[in-house]
Amino acid sequence: MKLKKLLVILPILALMCACGNKNVLRENLKDYPYDKYLSKVASADTKKEAKEAALTEIKNIFATLPADRQSQARRDNILSLAKIAKIWKVKQDDKKRYYAMAILERKPAMEALQPYYTGYDAKIQSLTGKLNEEPDKFVRIKYALQMEELLKDRNPLDEEYKILSYDATPYNEELLYNARAAYNRAFYEVKISSKITGDDQETIKTPIIESLNTLGFQVGENLPNADIELVMKVYVDKYESKTTQGLNWCTSTATVNLKDLATGGIFATYSKTEREGSIRKETAQLRSLVAAGQDAALAVKQKVLDYLERK
């Protein structure tokens, strides 16, 4: 409830600041309430300019979203439903100023967006069925990765629908819930056992484990019945600069082997060294470990996904 109230109050305040005519504004909002209409007000010296400015304002509602040719054509189609609802004039400093209120009715705009979902949602529903029925967990991962791409491609539609919707409820919410539940189950059924040793390994271990957890994998040290083993060693080398007095260097190296425990074969290796300098030895060490950990996290995550996709 608080969020909805805030969504209503903010545009009201903005419009009040824009036109300075509270009585007119209140009457306009009675006729075009915010839960049913998106509205923008603009002013100019002439009626024509005020109308054009108001329509430009409402056509900017998607301006914060990235656009390509396809999405821009879709948004132009939706925004063609916008119209001028009211024009009025206000006397300011012995001059007449014209105001225009442009509106976009939410329901027709959302209905105009819905046909664009058809192709995506049919494929998502089909993949959800396959994820729920497939007995092989590695085949399920392949389906899940396809699902991820579909959801990613669908996301621009969701962002547009969220703007048009009063309460930001996603389109076809039940389908999305079922799809994401099946996606999450697929990743959760794959277990990764980690063995991380060496100097100050916690700093590097944390981002790697977190990156795999974000996908939904079960990750833990010496995890029983695991599918993949992650073996990593961390080496830290600290030394003083030979050319700059007071400067301390630290290099941190992470070496990784990823093994398929069912076959016993190592399917990926990785090694990366990061060097950082600082006046303080502890700072140089921390910076180099953090940098090495971030690089390793991205690399390990991608290597695991690549292997499971081709497995």
Side-chain angles (χ1 to χ4, degrees), residues 7-23:
L7 289 172
V8 175
I9 291 170
L10 288 177
I12 290 175
L13 291 175
L15 291 175
M16 282 184 175
C17 293
C19 66
N21 191 323
K22 296 181 181 180
N23 292 330

Side-chain angles (χ1 to χ4, degrees), residues 79-110:
L79 293 169
S80 67
L81 300 172
K83 61 183 180 180
I84 297 296
K86 288 190 177 183
I87 301 173
W88 68 96
K89 60 185 176 182
V90 176
K91 191 174 182 181
Q92 296 176 345
D93 300 326
D94 297 326
K95 293 182 180 180
K96 291 178 181 177
R97 187 80 174 168
Y98 288 92
Y99 288 84
M101 183 180 190
I103 61 168
L104 179 64
E105 191 173 359
R106 293 180 185 276
K107 185 177 179 181
M110 289 189 290

Side-chain angles (χ1 to χ4, degrees), residues 60-194:
N60 284 336
I61 62 171
F62 295 129
T64 59
L65 303 179
D68 54 24
R69 185 179 298 177
Q70 183 179 9
S71 62
Q72 192 57 57
R74 180 174 67 240
R75 293 166 193 174
D76 288 344
N77 179 49
I78 293 164
L79 293 169
S80 67
L81 300 172
K83 61 183 180 180
I84 297 296
K86 288 190 177 183
I87 301 173
W88 68 96
K89 60 185 176 182
V90 176
K91 191 174 182 181
Q92 296 176 345
D93 300 326
D94 297 326
K95 293 182 180 180
K96 291 178 181 177
R97 187 80 174 168
Y98 288 92
Y99 288 84
M101 183 180 190
I103 61 168
L104 179 64
E105 191 173 359
R106 293 180 185 276
K107 185 177 179 181
M110 289 189 290
E111 288 174 348
L113 189 61
Q114 288 171 11
Y116 295 100
Y117 278 100
T118 303
Y120 291 117
D121 287 5
K123 293 176 183 177
I124 289 170
Q125 187 170 19
S126 174
L127 273 175
T128 302
K130 290 179 179 179
L131 276 166
N132 290 329
E133 295 166 7
E134 173 58 51
D136 189 319
K137 63 182 171 183
F138 296 112
V139 175
R140 285 198 295 273
I141 286 290
K142 290 181 172 62
Y143 288 144
L145 292 172
Q146 293 175 42
M147 177 78 78
E148 184 178 32
E149 285 301 310
L150 276 173
L151 292 173
K152 182 180 177 181
D153 292 342
R154 188 187 190 268
N155 188 61
L157 287 171
D158 295 332
E159 293 299 316
E160 293 164 10
Y161 197 84
K162 189 185 298 183
I163 288 174
L164 297 173
S165 172
Y166 172 61
D167 57 4
T169 300
Y171 177 69
N172 219 342
E173 189 173 17
E174 185 177 356
L175 176 138
L176 282 180
Y177 175 83
N178 292 334
R180 286 171 178 152
Y183 172 91
N184 290 335
R185 282 196 301 272
F187 278 95
Y188 188 73
E189 288 169 353
V190 174
K191 297 180 180 181
I192 301 175
S193 181
S194 64

